[in-house]
Amino acid sequence: MSKGKLVVISGASGVGKGTVLGRMMEKREDLSFSVSATTRPPRPNEIDGVHYYFVTKERFEEMIREGAFLEYDSHNTYYYGTPRRQAEEKMERGDVLLDIEPNGARQVKQAAPEATLIFIMPPSREELERRLRGRGDTSEDQIAMRLKRAVWEMEQRWWYDYIVVNDDADRCAEEILNIIAKLKD
Ligand code: 5GP
């Protein structure tokens, strides 16, 4: 079987997951990131094939029928999914990080019980709301929708293997890297 570990990272929108993941990959250059496919339109700074594979709804549904996803979910009115082959290929070369939400995390745990699931919490709900509002790309409606979903996501943290708090991106990245380093081969 493949030699790398599958590490799922979840956390509500606005928790600073992207920054933490970035720090982790700076500190451990052999870690790879599973690039998801999505039907969400790209944000201004996002690059196709780096942050996501941006695909049409038709293409995404075709990929579902082809069994191309390790897991997928529909939330915030868009589809998001992990292309199975890409994740497997990256695992041949080392540990792979998946930035996915709880419905996807549950599917990964079923398909690959050896996967490690880590949930990132904000220091407080107030801080999460502040960070969500600080994102230029979210309207009032979107903020309300994301906050509601954040509350649901945080309720899911109890069935994850580890819960970490992002009080500081560097420290949090270190904590997750320590968890990964201690996992058995
Ligand atoms: P955003 O639209 O802000 O980039 O991501 C919204 C949510 O989708 C985040 O919680 C992120 O973790 C989740 N997500 C990103 N890619 C995937 C994926 O491939 N599968 C699932 N299930 N969720 C994903």
Side-chain angles (χ1 to χ4, degrees):
M1 255 287 278
S2 39
K3 63 184 170 71
K5 299 180 198 86
L6 208 49
V7 180
V8 170
I9 313 272
S10 300
S13 175
V15 77
K17 240 180 329 173
T19 312
V20 172
L21 287 166
R23 297 283 160 82
M24 286 169 62
M25 287 187 286
E26 276 166 27
K27 290 169 196 275
R28 253 195 67 185
E29 288 180 352
D30 59 311
L31 279 179
S32 60
F33 179 69
S34 158
V35 181
S36 297
T38 185
T39 56
R40 169 169 78 59
R43 296 186 182 126
N45 58 336
E46 287 179 330
I47 302 162
D48 188 39
V50 175
H51 299 94
Y52 282 105
Y53 291 106
F54 296 100
V55 300
T56 60
K57 187 162 177 272
E58 290 66 34
R59 176 66 191 129
F60 199 102
E61 288 176 345
E62 189 179 61
M63 289 173 78
I64 295 174
R65 287 194 295 274
E66 290 167 350
F69 291 115
L70 175 62
E71 62 72 38
Y72 72 92
D73 184 53
S74 163
H75 51 271
N76 300 342
T77 71
Y78 300 115
Y79 279 124
Y80 295 81
T82 303
R84 184 192 301 277
R85 213 173 55 200
Q86 184 210 165
E88 285 169 357
E89 282 170 6
K90 287 186 171 170
M91 277 172 74
E92 292 292 328
R93 282 175 268 134
D95 298 343
V96 181
L97 302 174
L98 266 63
D99 169 357
I100 64 176
E101 52 68 63
N103 290 325
R106 214 183 258 284
Q107 294 172 49
V108 169
K109 196 69 184 176
Q110 274 160 9
E114 70 284 2
T116 300
L117 274 50
I118 302 176
F119 196 94
I120 305 184
M121 284 291 284
S124 67
R125 187 183 156 136
E126 291 68 36
E127 179 61 18
L128 181 74
E129 191 165 344
R130 202 185 61 76
R131 289 188 201 171
L132 261 179
R133 287 183 185 285
R135 294 181 118 180
D137 61 342
T138 35
S139 68
E140 232 8 82
D141 270 3
Q142 276 175 317
I143 288 169
M145 186 171 79
R146 282 178 185 265
L147 257 181
K148 191 163 165 237
R149 181 155 175 104
V151 171
W152 172 79
E153 285 200 24
M154 290 189 288
E155 285 165 0
Q156 308 305 308
R157 68 187 180 281
W158 301 113
W159 51 263
Y160 277 67
D161 298 310
Y162 299 90
I163 302 172
V164 298
V165 177
N166 183 20
D167 45 1
D168 174 85
D170 253 319
R171 194 211 57 77
C172 185
E174 282 294 345
E175 184 179 349
I176 299 177
L177 289 177
N178 282 333
I179 291 171
I180 298 174
K182 286 186 189 135
L183 296 173
K184 292 201 184 69
D185 283 324

